Amino acid sequence: MTTSKYVTIALHVLVWGAVLVLPYTFSSPENHYVHVGSFRCNFFTLTNIIHIGLFYFNAYYLYSKLFNSRFWWLYVVSVALLILVIYNLKVLILNASFPLLAASQDFFGFTFFPIVVFFVISTVYRLILDKINSEREQLAMELKFLRSQVNPHFLFNVLNNLVSMARHRSEKLEPSLIKLSGLMRYMLFESEVKKIPVQVELEYLTNYINLQELRFDQDVVIQTNFNYDSTAYSIEPMLLIPFVENAFKHGITVLEKPVIKLDLFVKDDSLHFKVMNKFEKGNLSKDMNSGIGLSNVKSRLNLLYAKRHQLSIKKREGIFEVDLRIKLR
C-alpha cells in the first residue's frame, strides 16, 4: 500500500471520528442519550453511523454501477428508495429509544435533512475522486507516449553510429553490438517500470558512454564523475539519457578536440546532474534547444517532478551546459 493510500485512510478515519464524537459535545444527555448496557449512546452518533454507510454505499457502489447514460433512471430510483429506507429506520430508532427527542418540533429536520446532506457530500466526493483518477490516467498515458518517443530517437542515433562502423569494416563493430544489446534489454524491460534504482540508470548511461567511446576512440575527451553508492533512491527511467545524447550529437563537431563532461552525485535526497560540451558557434541547430530529446525530457520532468526539480540550460562562449537538480524524496 502506497503512502498516499495510508494518508487517505487516516484522513477518512479522522473526519468520521470527528463526526461521531461531535454530537456528544452539543447534545443534551437528558434527551439525546440512551443506555445500551453500561454505554450511553447518542442518537446523532448512532444515526451518523448509518449516514457513513450511506456515504460509502453511494460513492463506491450505486454511483459507480448505475450513474451512466444508460441506467441513470435506475440510479435515481435506487437513491430515492435508499433515502426512504434510511429515513424510516431513523424514525423507528427515534420512536423506540428517544421519545423526548421524537416529540421535538424539529423532528423532520434532524431525521430527513442529514440524509440528504450526506448523500450530496457522497456524490461530490465521488465526482472529485473520478476527476482525480481521470487526471492520473491521462498523466500515465502521456508519460507512456513520451517514453515511446525516447526509444526510437535514441535507437536511431545509435544505429547511425553502427552503420558508420560497418562501412569502415571497423573491429569495434562487434563490441559495439554487444553494448547495444545491453542497452536494448534496458529499453525493453527496465524502462517499462514506473521507477528504477538510480544505480541502474547510471549503468545504462555508462554503457551508452562506452559505446560512444568505441566509436570515437581518442577523438573525443569524455570525463565522467559519478559519485553515487546507495541503492535507496529511485528515478524515472531514461530521464537522463537525452542530455547525454544531446552532448554527443552537438559536441563532436568542433574544430578543436571535443570535450564532454558528465557529473552526477546524490546528497540530502537530491540528485545533481551536470552535462557540459563544447559546440561550434554558428553550427548550433534548433534541436539543441527544442528537439525531440530535450523537449521530451522537459515534459517528463514537469509531469513527474513538477515542484521538485530545477533545470538550467545555458550557452556561453562555445560551451553548452545542462544543470539538473531533482528532489528524489
Side-chain angles (χ1 to χ4, degrees):
M1 188 179 292
T2 62
T3 302
S4 61
K5 289 184 178 179
Y6 282 117
V7 172
T8 301
I9 293 173
L11 184 60
H12 279 243
V13 171
L14 182 64
V15 171
W16 294 130
V19 168
L20 295 176
V21 171
L22 202 60
Y24 286 96
T25 306
F26 296 99
S27 55
S28 168
E30 293 79 12
N31 299 331
H32 303 160
Y33 287 70
V34 64
H35 286 274
V36 179
S38 60
F39 179 73
R40 292 195 308 169
C41 182
N42 183 285
F43 169 77
F44 298 104
T45 296
L46 183 62
T47 54
N48 277 341
I49 295 175
I50 301 173
H51 295 152
I52 293 172
L54 164 67
F55 178 92
Y56 287 111
F57 184 67
N58 176 63
Y60 288 98
Y61 185 79
L62 280 184
Y63 189 94
S64 299
K65 297 291 184 181
L66 302 179
F67 193 80
N68 53 58
S69 57
R70 185 177 178 183
F71 295 109
W72 65 268
W73 60 271
L74 187 56
Y75 174 70
V76 173
V77 172
S78 299
V79 168
L81 288 174
L82 181 63
I83 292 176
L84 184 62
V85 168
I86 293 177
Y87 172 74
N88 281 283
L89 178 61
K90 290 177 67 176
V91 171
L92 181 64
I93 294 172
L94 194 65
N95 289 328
S97 303
F98 302 91
L100 294 178
L101 192 59
S104 171
Q105 295 181 350
D106 198 26
F107 176 86
F108 186 78
F110 58 74
T111 53
F112 182 79
F113 182 70
I115 302 174
V116 176
V117 171
F118 273 83
F119 168 75
V120 171
I121 295 174
S122 171
T123 304
V124 172
Y125 170 80
R126 182 72 248 182
L127 290 171
I128 294 173
L129 202 62
D130 286 348
K131 181 176 177 58
I132 293 173
N133 290 335
S134 177
E135 289 177 350
R136 284 178 178 172
E137 290 176 3
Q138 185 176 357
L139 174 62
M141 291 178 63
E142 188 170 350
L143 287 173
K144 187 175 182 179
F145 172 72
L146 290 173
R147 282 185 180 182
S148 71
Q149 283 187 308
V150 172
N151 296 352
H153 182 59
F154 167 76
L155 188 59
F156 177 78
N157 289 339
V158 173
L159 288 177
N160 275 344
N161 297 344
L162 296 178
V163 168
S164 176
M165 290 182 185
R167 285 176 179 172
H168 294 87
R169 300 181 182 275
S170 172
E171 295 179 356
K172 300 173 184 177
L173 179 60
E174 183 177 350
S176 296
L177 288 171
I178 294 174
K179 290 288 182 182
L180 179 60
S181 67
L183 297 178
M184 290 292 292
R185 279 194 298 271
Y186 178 91
M187 291 162 58
L188 291 173
F189 300 107
E190 300 290 353
S191 65
E192 290 301 315
V193 299
K194 290 183 178 180
K195 286 190 176 182
I196 58 170
V198 173
Q199 187 64 40
V200 175
E201 180 77 358
L202 283 183
E203 291 173 2
Y204 172 63
L205 291 179
T206 301
N207 284 338
Y208 175 82
I209 293 168
N210 291 340
L211 185 59
Q212 294 289 14
E213 287 176 331
L214 285 172
R215 176 192 175 195
F216 294 109
D217 198 14
Q218 303 298 319
D219 295 333
V220 179
V221 176
I222 303 173
Q223 301 174 357
T224 60
N225 180 23
F226 294 161
N227 185 8
Y228 180 76
D229 57 1
S230 173
T231 58
Y233 299 101
S234 299
I235 193 173
E236 167 79 7
M238 301 191 74
L239 190 66
L240 305 178
I241 189 63
F243 299 115
V244 182
E245 280 192 275
N246 192 77
F248 278 99
K249 182 175 182 179
H250 299 283
I252 59 175
T253 60
V254 294
L255 297 177
E256 299 179 2
K257 196 167 188 178
V259 176
I260 296 175
K261 294 182 179 180
L262 305 170
D263 297 288
L264 184 146
F265 62 88
V266 176
K267 184 179 180 180
D268 298 330
D269 296 337
S270 295
L271 179 144
H272 188 190
F273 184 54
K274 292 183 67 175
V275 181
M276 186 278 289
N277 63 271
K278 294 181 179 179
F279 69 90
E280 188 176 12
K281 294 181 180 180
N283 191 34
L284 187 62
S285 71
K286 182 181 178 181
D287 179 66
M288 203 157 190
N289 291 314
S290 59
I292 293 176
L294 291 189
S295 63
N296 184 309
V297 76
K298 287 178 183 177
S299 297
R300 294 169 70 196
L301 283 168
N302 288 330
L303 288 170
L304 294 163
Y305 304 96
K307 297 181 180 180
R308 295 190 293 135
H309 84 279
Q310 294 178 343
L311 175 62
S312 172
I313 299 178
K314 297 179 181 179
K315 295 175 290 182
R316 52 181 176 80
E317 300 178 354
I319 301 294
F320 188 82
E321 185 177 87
V322 173
D323 190 308
L324 172 64
R325 300 168 190 265
I326 300 175
K327 192 72 175 177
L328 299 175
R329 290 182 178 174

